[in-house]
């Protein structure tokens, strides 16, 4: 952008330009119904014949259509502008808006410079567009100069200009400046408060955002949603629910934006019952089910372990956007239903929906979770051959995961070596995990060290390498990995499991006793373990199969009291034979808990749906939907 430095000096000598004072003609009225450039050019020719080609009122209407209408032509607007001897502020403002609509932010500032050079006084409609132009272009220096002009030309108390300045500084991540503008405002409206809340939230300063929220003299649905969304985006789902309940207690209507945020919170916690309530509310209140909200509902059902309702919602959509198709394919993928995901994809193509790169990430992920090696190879080639989509990092990651889990480690490594880009930690991590599954110590050690270099603060990478050494009987190397973790101050992610029953979300940590029914839960768990021991359950580490570190709960917490076992015990207390309950876990299910869950489902006649960090496990009749392929 051009600098405004020279324009911030001495007061400008600005005179008002005068428009031609010709009487209004009926051709001007016809401009109000203009709907095409062909019609506009006819009107232009007519106005020229009438001698109005230099009239700001007449030409301003033509320029407005050209610059702002979807059927307009900005180049023609500029041509008309260049023919005017003395364009006024309305015409300048219209063209600035036209540039902004087309995201030509630099041209907004250039035109503003010309406006000042032509001694046309800017007005309160000039600056909001200029401020937004600086925001779009992240033009920090020019933004500060426009800020100075807002004050210089007497709009220091204009709420619309000031709100736009707050938004601009938020976009610049300059919250101190945003706060200064906010604090000096003579009158703050809901937009002022909400913009500042969103600014803090974007930088992860959720507590600061909440402090501003609490100070608001009045709130609307936008401000409530801004704060709820801040909690959701920071994975603080319990606080999002608390705020949502407070909003409902104040009898405020739920709009589609709040609904979308709360559905995301339900997704994060696996709170199916509350998600169903929100979905029912949306239907009963006739809230518009736009593509984004529809996709959020489908995603909630998929990730809360209710694939049937996700598919039912998907099938009921009158219009299915690409995001809805992708979400449904991804839902089948994470539940290990690869064939169903491929079937949905074929339906999508039959209906003429063009897949995008996300579609193929989900298809390849479906193949990976279901062990469909040949299908995965086929679609990896198909995406480029048929749709011209070149594989991205995520596609390579899915293929390496697919090949690695299938034991095709040489092919997986060859694919990595042939990548046109440097593999990231996701791709290498997939190969690393496969090496652990299949006991390839040499390759696993090589890849594991690279992964740790790329993610030195990820505890899971160290744990995986240590476990690899344990399998090989290299206990000294395992101890060195532990020592490295301690020296680097790497902390393990605390594992937790969440179960929603009777509309209430219950959270458990390994060995935790904070739950009000902990005595009954531990008694039920002990009884459960005794029952499954009677049919052959032996803890994996005692069996010598996995005498290793667990990513979640390690040796300090006995296998018996891992968080998902506590959640299962609670589920057994609250349900009866034949029922289904769902658990969400933030880390990967360990081998022992996976083994125990299969037996529990058989002995207690329950379907137990567990969502871990990677996928879903449906335990029923002593089997898991993953077929032990995870």
């Amino acid at each position: 952008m051009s600098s405004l430095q020279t324009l911030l000096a001495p007061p400008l000598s600005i005179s008002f330009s005068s428009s031609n004072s010709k009487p209004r003609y009926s051709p001007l009225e016809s401009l109000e119904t203009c709907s095409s450039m062909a019609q506009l050019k006819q009107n232009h020719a007519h106005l020229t014949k009438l001698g109005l080609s230099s009239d700001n009122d007449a030409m301003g209407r033509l320029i407005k259509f050209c610059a702002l209408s979807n059927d307009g032509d900005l180049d023609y607007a500029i041509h008309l502008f260049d023919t005017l001897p003395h364009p006024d502020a309305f015409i300048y403002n219209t063209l600035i808006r036209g540039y902004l609509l087309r995201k030509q932010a630099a041209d907004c500032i250039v035109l503003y410079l010309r406006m000042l050079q032509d001694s046309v006084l800017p007005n309160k409609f000039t600056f909001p567009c200029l401020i937004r132009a600086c925001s779009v272009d992240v033009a920090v220096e020019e933004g500060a100069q426009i800020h100075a002009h807002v004050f210089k030309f007497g709009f220091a108390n204009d709420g619309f200009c000031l709100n736009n300045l707050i938004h601009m500084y938020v976009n610049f991540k300059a919250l101190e400046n945003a706060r200064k503008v906010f604090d000096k405002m003579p009158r703050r409206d809901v937009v002022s408060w909400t913009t500042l809340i969103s600014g803090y939230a974007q930088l992860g300063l959720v507590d600061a955002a909440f402090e501003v929220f609490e100070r608001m003299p009045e709130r609307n649905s936008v401000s409530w949603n801004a704060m709820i969304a801040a909690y959701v985006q920071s994975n603080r789902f319990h606080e999002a629910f608390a705020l949502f309940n407070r909003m409902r207690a104040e009898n405020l209507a739920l709009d589609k934006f709040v609904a979308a945020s709360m559905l995301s919170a339900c997704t994060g916690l696996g709170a199916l019952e509350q998600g169903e309530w929100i979905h029912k509310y949306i239907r009963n209140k006739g809230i518009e089910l736009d593509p984004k909200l529809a996709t959020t509902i489908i995603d909630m059902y998929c990730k809360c372990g209710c694939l049937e309702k996700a598919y039912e919602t998907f099938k009921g959509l009158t219009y299915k956007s690409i995001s809805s198709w992708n979400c449904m394919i991804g839902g089948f993928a994470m539940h290990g239903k690869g064939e169903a995901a491929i079937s949905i994809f074929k339906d999508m193509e039959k209906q003429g929906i063009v897949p995008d790169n996300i579609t193929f990430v989900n298809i390849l992920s479906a193949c990976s979770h279901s062990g469909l090696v040949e299908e995965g190879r086929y679609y990896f080639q198909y995406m480029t051959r048929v749709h011209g989509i070149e594989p991205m990092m995520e596609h390579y990651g899915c293929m390496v995961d697919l090949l690695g889990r299938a034991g095709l480690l040489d092919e997986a490594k060859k694919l990595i070596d042939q990548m046109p880009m440097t593999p990231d930690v996701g791709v290498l991590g997939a190969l690393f995990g496969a090496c652990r599954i299949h006991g390839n110590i040499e390759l696993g050690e090589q890849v594991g060290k690279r992964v740790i270099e790329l993610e030195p603060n990820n505890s899971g990478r160290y744990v995986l390498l240590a476990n690899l050494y344990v399998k090989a009987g290299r206990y000294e190397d395992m101890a060195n990995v532990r020592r490295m973790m301690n020296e680097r101050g790497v902390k393990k992610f605390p594992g937790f499991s969440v179960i929603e029953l009777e509309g209430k979300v219950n959270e458990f940590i390994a060995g935790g006793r904070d739950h009000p029914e902990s005595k009954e839960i531990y008694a039920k768990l002990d009884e459960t373990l005794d029952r499954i021991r009677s049919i052959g359950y032996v803890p994996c580490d005692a069996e010598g199969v996995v005498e290793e570190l667990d990513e979640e709960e390690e040796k300090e917490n006995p296998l018996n009291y891992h968080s998902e076992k506590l959640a299962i015990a609670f589920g057994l207390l609250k349900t009866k034979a034949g029922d289904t309950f769902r658990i969400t876990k933030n880390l990967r299910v360990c081998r022992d808990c996976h083994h125990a869950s299969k037996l529990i489902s058989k002995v207690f006649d329950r379907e137990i749906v567990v969502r871990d960090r990677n996928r879903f496990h449906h335990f029923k009749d002593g089997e898991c939907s993953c077929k032990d392929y995870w």
Side-chain angles (χ1 to χ4, degrees):
M1 287 187 180
S2 302
S3 174
L4 299 177
Q5 296 278 11
T6 56
L7 296 166
L8 282 173
L12 299 166
S13 175
I14 296 179
S15 60
F16 291 91
S17 58
S18 59
S19 300
N20 296 334
S21 56
K22 292 180 182 280
R24 293 182 180 273
Y25 292 85
S26 57
L28 296 184
E29 297 174 5
S30 68
L31 290 175
E32 301 300 327
T33 58
C34 187
S35 60
S36 69
M37 283 303 299
Q39 188 180 350
L40 180 132
K41 287 177 181 179
Q42 289 179 350
N43 283 323
H44 183 202
H46 193 188
L47 292 171
T48 301
K49 288 180 182 178
L50 293 171
L52 295 173
S53 59
S54 297
D55 181 87
N56 281 343
D57 185 20
M59 293 300 105
R61 298 181 190 215
L62 293 174
I63 289 170
K64 180 180 178 182
F65 178 86
C66 293
L68 306 182
S69 170
N70 290 334
D71 300 308
D73 182 340
L74 186 59
D75 290 336
Y76 198 80
I78 295 164
H79 163 69
L80 294 175
F81 171 78
D82 288 337
T83 65
L84 292 173
H86 302 293
D88 59 17
F90 172 81
I91 291 172
Y92 273 104
N93 291 344
T94 302
L95 275 179
I96 289 170
R97 280 182 65 197
Y99 279 131
L100 183 61
L101 285 172
R102 290 159 180 80
K103 294 184 169 48
Q104 296 174 227
D107 291 319
C108 295
I109 301 300
V110 170
L111 189 61
Y112 176 61
L113 290 171
R114 180 170 169 181
M115 182 180 187
L116 297 180
Q117 289 161 357
D118 287 348
S119 297
V120 178
L121 189 68
N123 58 32
K124 67 178 183 178
F125 300 107
T126 308
F127 291 108
C129 288
L130 291 172
I131 296 166
R132 274 177 268 164
C134 294
S135 182
V136 166
D137 237 21
V138 196
V140 177
E141 181 182 345
E142 288 82 357
Q145 293 166 4
I146 292 295
H147 185 175
H149 275 216
V150 168
F151 281 72
K152 181 174 185 176
F153 288 107
F155 299 105
N157 294 328
D158 185 90
F160 198 43
C161 287
L162 296 177
N163 283 341
N164 275 279
L165 283 171
I166 295 172
H167 180 269
M168 179 188 76
Y169 284 122
V170 163
N171 202 50
F172 291 168
K173 296 181 171 56
L175 279 182
E176 284 187 17
N177 289 338
R179 189 63 189 250
K180 284 177 184 177
V181 175
F182 176 84
D183 288 340
K184 291 179 181 179
M185 290 179 75
R187 290 176 303 279
R188 305 181 189 101
D189 58 19
V190 175
V191 175
S192 318
W193 291 90
T194 305
T195 305
L196 192 61
I197 289 168
S198 298
Y200 281 119
Q202 286 169 26
L203 293 184
L205 303 172
V206 182
D207 293 327
F210 185 65
E211 286 178 17
V212 176
F213 178 82
E214 288 289 76
R215 288 178 52 209
M216 289 184 73
E218 58 179 292
R219 307 179 183 96
N220 61 12
S221 63
V222 177
S223 47
W224 281 96
N225 183 55
M227 195 60 240
I228 290 171
Y231 281 131
V232 172
Q233 289 157 13
S234 299
N235 295 328
R236 293 167 63 168
F237 303 119
H238 291 291
E239 286 152 299
F241 272 107
L243 196 60
F244 176 62
N245 291 335
R246 182 174 148 191
M247 177 183 174
R248 287 172 58 193
E250 294 187 21
N251 295 318
L252 289 165
L254 181 70
D255 64 18
K256 66 178 182 180
F257 302 105
V258 175
S261 292
M262 284 311 303
L263 285 166
S264 295
C266 294
T267 300
L269 283 179
L272 176 62
E273 291 179 39
Q274 301 207 42
E276 287 179 312
W277 183 89
I278 294 169
H279 185 195
K280 184 178 179 181
Y281 183 97
I282 290 167
R283 287 198 305 265
N284 291 344
K285 297 296 182 180
I287 294 174
E288 178 195 1
L289 199 64
D290 61 22
K292 181 178 180 181
L293 185 56
T295 301
T296 306
I297 293 170
I298 295 168
D299 190 53
M300 181 273 295
Y301 280 127
C302 286
K303 291 179 180 174
C304 286
C306 196
L307 199 56
E308 299 80 8
K309 286 199 174 181
Y311 188 60
E312 179 186 317
T313 303
F314 173 77
K315 292 289 284 184
L317 296 178
T318 52
Y319 167 73
K320 299 179 179 71
S321 66
I322 180 69
S323 60
S324 299
W325 285 98
N326 287 344
C327 187
M328 197 65 249
I329 293 169
F332 281 120
M334 72 177 73
H335 284 267
K337 297 185 178 296
E339 293 87 352
I342 291 171
S343 176
I344 287 283
F345 172 72
K346 290 177 178 177
D347 289 344
M348 174 182 169
E349 286 197 305
K350 285 177 185 174
Q351 294 192 26
I353 306 296
V354 179
D356 58 16
N357 69 85
I358 296 172
T359 312
F360 285 103
V361 168
N362 290 343
I363 282 291
L364 294 174
S365 175
C367 294
S368 175
H369 284 311
S370 301
L372 303 176
V373 176
E374 289 304 319
E375 291 85 346
R377 287 176 178 144
Y378 172 80
Y379 283 109
F380 188 70
Q381 300 297 326
Y382 181 87
M383 59 186 279
T384 303
R385 175 169 51 82
V386 176
H387 292 285
I389 298 173
E390 292 297 326
M392 299 168 66
M393 194 73 75
E394 294 83 356
H395 303 108
Y396 281 106
C398 289
M399 279 304 295
V400 170
D401 190 53
L402 169 63
L403 296 170
R405 287 177 188 276
L408 302 170
L409 298 180
D410 290 339
E411 186 178 346
K413 186 177 184 304
K414 183 179 178 181
L415 181 64
I416 290 175
D417 293 339
Q418 293 173 347
M419 287 174 62
M421 71 283 282
T422 302
D424 68 2
V425 72
V427 174
L428 293 173
L431 181 59
F432 184 28
C435 290
R436 174 188 178 276
I437 292 169
H438 297 288
N440 190 320
I441 308 300
E442 183 180 350
L443 180 59
E445 181 178 35
Q446 175 191 335
V447 177
K449 288 179 178 178
R450 286 179 65 188
V451 167
I452 287 174
E453 286 175 13
L454 292 171
E455 272 191 342
N457 295 317
N458 186 332
S459 63
R461 307 302 187 186
Y462 295 87
V463 171
L464 204 59
L465 183 58
N467 287 344
L468 202 65
Y469 287 138
V470 169
K471 274 196 169 183
R474 294 166 57 178
Y475 295 103
E476 186 175 340
D477 288 326
M478 182 272 286
N480 289 336
V481 173
R482 291 300 306 272
R483 192 177 302 113
M484 187 192 305
M485 280 184 72
N486 292 333
E487 289 171 354
R488 294 181 177 182
V490 178
K491 303 295 183 184
K492 296 182 292 297
F493 291 111
F496 64 84
S497 296
V498 172
I499 180 171
E500 183 200 31
L501 286 170
E502 300 171 349
K504 185 178 178 183
V505 174
N506 301 268
E507 184 174 311
F508 297 91
I509 61 171
R513 295 182 180 270
D514 291 338
H515 195 281
E517 296 180 65
S518 62
K519 184 177 178 180
E520 294 84 353
I521 291 167
Y522 274 86
K524 186 65 178 179
L525 180 53
D526 290 339
E527 175 206 332
T528 300
L529 294 173
D530 286 341
R531 292 275 299 274
I532 62 175
R533 284 191 192 103
S534 69
I535 61 167
Y537 167 69
V538 177
C540 289
D541 65 339
E543 199 179 10
V545 175
V546 190
E547 188 177 333
E548 55 189 56
L549 300 174
D550 175 16
E551 179 185 352
E552 178 198 0
E553 286 133 328
E554 251 192 286
K555 298 295 182 185
E556 291 85 351
N557 295 303
L559 285 172
N560 289 358
Y561 302 130
H562 278 191
S563 62
E564 58 263 56
K565 286 196 179 81
L566 292 172
I568 288 173
F570 182 71
L572 293 175
L573 278 174
K574 300 296 181 180
T575 61
K576 62 183 184 301
D579 284 351
T580 298
F581 58 85
R582 296 168 173 83
I583 294 168
T584 299
K585 182 177 173 62
N586 68 325
L587 299 175
R588 186 179 66 88
V589 171
C590 78
R591 197 175 299 271
D592 179 73
C593 287
H594 189 270
H595 176 48
S597 297
K598 288 193 292 184
L599 297 175
I600 293 169
S601 72
K602 181 178 182 179
V603 170
F604 290 89
D605 187 21
R606 304 290 201 281
E607 181 174 357
I608 305 169
V609 181
V610 177
R611 180 181 112 199
D612 72 6
R613 186 180 59 193
N614 298 326
R615 61 169 299 154
F616 272 89
H617 302 266
H618 293 252
F619 299 101
K620 188 175 182 180
D621 298 328
E623 301 292 334
C624 179
S625 60
C626 76
K627 302 179 178 66
D628 296 336
Y629 191 81
W630 100 105

